[in-house]
Amino acid sequence: MASVEDESRLKAEDVIKQEIAAVGLDHLVVKGSGCAACHVLFKVKEALQVSEQEAADLLSEVLMDNEQLNNEFISMVEDIHMKARMMGLTFAIKTREAKDRYIDANLKNTISELQADASVYGTEIVMRRLLLSNIALNIAQNLGIDYHAAMEELYYYMRKHDRDIHGEMMQAIRSLLAKVGYQKD
């Protein structure tokens, strides 16, 4: 008899497969200029009636355990974010004031999220998030792709090289925290 956890993973895998196929048939399934990866994530969340974090964990676990599905997922993201779109046009046509308001709101939201994460999850998790964001940003800039696509490419790589990357990340995080004099409680 399968456990509830196994059943959830199997259901999540089915949802992921269905959504990759749906997006492949019609890119407009991903609304507006939305993120293809987030579309799949929210479909998992909705289908399994779990929190966003639980859905993200399930998505990562399923993709890490299923290389073919992981490859299909990253192909879907690349098709949407790199081939089918020219993102950024909606921002470019805004007035300077509208652009400034958008940037100001994002700046404040990001700082607030990082502070909340540090309070709830700890400084190492926030450092990991910042490090991953910086790496993805560098990939996006160097390849000339959007950030969502770069982040998904990074996650794809990390799933393939989990053991090596985790150790390197933790070593880098601890080194950075030591340099600023952070002492873990």
Side-chain angles (χ1 to χ4, degrees):
M1 187 167 185
S3 72
V4 173
E5 191 174 296
D6 291 339
E7 288 179 26
S8 292
R9 285 181 66 139
L10 289 172
K11 188 170 181 180
E13 186 170 337
D14 286 343
V15 171
I16 294 164
K17 287 177 182 177
Q18 290 170 9
E19 288 310 311
I20 290 171
V23 171
L25 291 173
D26 182 8
H27 288 177
L28 298 177
V29 168
V30 180
K31 306 282 189 250
S33 60
C35 171
C38 294
H39 169 79
V40 174
L41 170 71
F42 288 115
K43 289 295 184 177
V44 170
K45 177 185 181 289
E46 180 182 298
L48 277 71
Q49 297 187 350
V50 295
S51 71
E52 187 176 331
Q53 185 59 54
E54 290 170 310
D57 291 344
L58 276 168
L59 178 63
S60 292
E61 289 171 17
V62 168
L63 295 177
M64 190 176 286
D65 292 342
N66 186 331
E67 186 174 348
Q68 180 182 344
L69 190 58
N70 191 29
N71 290 336
E72 291 171 12
F73 182 82
I74 198 64
S75 290
M76 174 204 61
V77 169
E78 290 171 349
D79 284 346
I80 295 289
H81 290 276
M82 294 181 207
K83 296 175 184 171
R85 290 186 181 161
M86 287 191 261
M87 291 182 69
L89 294 177
T90 56
F91 182 79
I93 62 173
K94 291 180 184 280
T95 66
R96 183 71 258 162
E97 293 79 22
K99 290 176 184 175
D100 288 350
R101 284 191 306 272
Y102 180 83
I103 291 169
D104 183 59
N106 277 271
L107 176 76
K108 289 175 180 166
N109 286 340
T110 301
I111 290 170
S112 178
E113 284 178 22
L114 290 172
Q115 289 172 332
D117 284 353
S119 295
V120 175
Y121 302 112
T123 306
E124 284 185 1
I125 295 297
V126 172
M127 289 298 293
R128 179 181 170 85
R129 185 173 165 194
L130 291 171
L131 190 56
L132 289 174
S133 292
N134 189 266
I135 293 166
L137 180 59
N138 282 319
I139 292 168
Q141 289 172 328
N142 291 334
L143 296 179
I145 60 177
D146 74 45
Y147 178 79
H148 273 104
M151 186 59 89
E152 290 306 322
E153 290 286 349
L154 178 58
Y155 285 153
Y156 172 80
Y157 178 82
M158 290 174 65
R159 285 189 294 269
K160 286 176 65 176
H161 304 282
D162 183 53
R163 287 190 182 118
D164 297 332
I165 297 301
H166 179 72
E168 282 183 56
M169 292 284 292
M170 292 313 295
Q171 183 178 4
I173 289 166
R174 289 182 183 125
S175 174
L176 289 167
L177 290 172
K179 288 180 184 194
V180 296
Y182 174 77
Q183 298 285 323
K184 196 171 186 178
D185 293 338

